[in-house]
Amino acid sequence: MSRGGAEDGREKAGAEEVRWRYEASDITVLDARETIRRRPGMYVGTTGRRGLHQMVFQVMGRAVDEVLAGRAGTVDVVLGPGGEVSVADDGPGVPVEVAEDGDGLETLLTRTAGRPKPPGRHCAVLERAGFGPFVANVLSSSLTAEVRRDGVRWVQEYERGGAIAPPTVVGPAAGTGTTLSFRPDPEIFPTTECSFAALADSFRELAFLNRDLEISLTDARSPGGQQSVRFRFPYGLRDFVVFLDSPHGHDDPDAPARTPLHPDVIAFAREDPRMEGTAEVALRWCSSPDERIRSFANSAPTRNGGAHLAGFRDGLALAVNAFARERRLLSAADPDLGVDRIGQGLTAVVSVKVDHPCFEDPVHGTLGNAEVRACVREAVREHVGRWAEEHADRAAAVVGRIVGVSGRAG
């Protein structure tokens, strides 16, 4: 390059440097509320109806945790006119005055750190960002908080995440608890009406996974009369498996009920200090060819599976193959039955609750805790193996059918 060309290049580079130089005046500092309102999808996933439902989960997460911790018994959700959603619990009530540790009503509703998700198996993972009701408050045109605590009823109003006035005493309280009523902001959401059916499905699932939880959903929007459902399942995952085998437990409403190969649902729960948590499993084989397996971690549906589901499949394969060889349903020359074959006709729910869940994606679709796999594998192998020994005829019918599907006479 000639001297003139080199100088021209340096001048061009210098011009580019000046063009892309950032100054302090180029930086815009947004507060938390403005950040959330500008990018709502980062916090609720979408501004469509699924985003509205995520707001409901953010508000009710605290109430559900109160039940799981034994401080409350029920959570009641009401869909009202104009998109209003009310979430009530019968817990002790959120502290109204700000405590020394910063835990209080206004902190809960106006700060990103107002409700950090504490570690623990007694917390349900219902939200994406872990900010609790703060995000829902910011994305709502209005929110009303009512607290019933120490015999006093308090009310505080909010607008787009900001408190209009301090909490006000409005009279005596009958009982205790907290009610948060919010209206999704039409400036953010094209539609502000939640789906009753979609929320009912999610609440039913949550109640299956937590047998101590009682949760209701009421639709008070229709002038012709309201509809309401209440969920509580004392048998937990056993009830879940029975539901999945019914016509209502499938996405296809015309799908027939599945015919069980054995009447009892195999179910167990085990606490294991190695995984710092508990594993709960329920399963049953049916005559249908399809497999229906659902997995959860701290009540969050893990749609991509993870360590707990892998451990379940490992343990099931070990138990089934051991029984098949012991009963000579497989010869020494036959290969082990694969998990795909074993899963044909299987309905199962695998739920783990651990103190420190490690999800591999922001939507909690995959559980990554490596120690969980070995613990679940061992538990499934032992419990399914014991069931097979105690119900040998039923187990032989199930495994014989699997072997027959694999190409041998059952």
Side-chain angles (χ1 to χ4, degrees), residues 203-218:
F203 294 176
R204 179 190 297 108
E205 184 176 273
L206 192 59
F208 278 133
L209 297 169
N210 301 280
R211 64 183 68 193
D212 294 329
L213 175 63
E214 182 174 336
I215 183 169
S216 73
L217 174 64
T218 299

Side-chain angles (χ1 to χ4, degrees), residues 12-23 26:
K12 183 176 180 181
E16 292 291 334
E17 181 180 353
V18 171
R19 181 184 303 171
W20 294 106
R21 182 180 298 157
Y22 285 99
E23 304 290 348
D26 297 319

Side-chain angles (χ1 to χ4, degrees), residues 33 112 188 208 212 313:
R33 283 191 291 168
T112 56
I188 303 290
F208 278 133
D212 294 329
R313 292 189 184 279

Side-chain angles (χ1 to χ4, degrees), residues 322-342:
F323 181 84
R325 295 198 182 280
E326 179 186 347
R327 294 289 170 142
R328 303 185 185 279
L329 296 171
L330 289 176
S331 70
D334 288 328
D336 280 350
L337 299 169
V339 293
D340 291 340
R341 293 295 189 183
I342 294 172

Side-chain angles (χ1 to χ4, degrees), residues 100-144:
E100 291 183 1
D101 60 2
D103 183 20
L105 179 64
E106 199 159 336
T107 302
L108 176 74
L109 294 172
T110 61
R111 298 184 189 176
T112 56
R115 180 181 172 262
K117 176 66 71 175
R121 67 197 74 178
H122 300 297
C123 292
V125 178
L126 302 185
E127 54 187 278
R128 293 167 57 95
F131 294 151
F134 169 62
V135 169
N137 191 15
V138 172
L139 298 180
S140 296
S141 58
S142 64
L143 181 147
T144 300

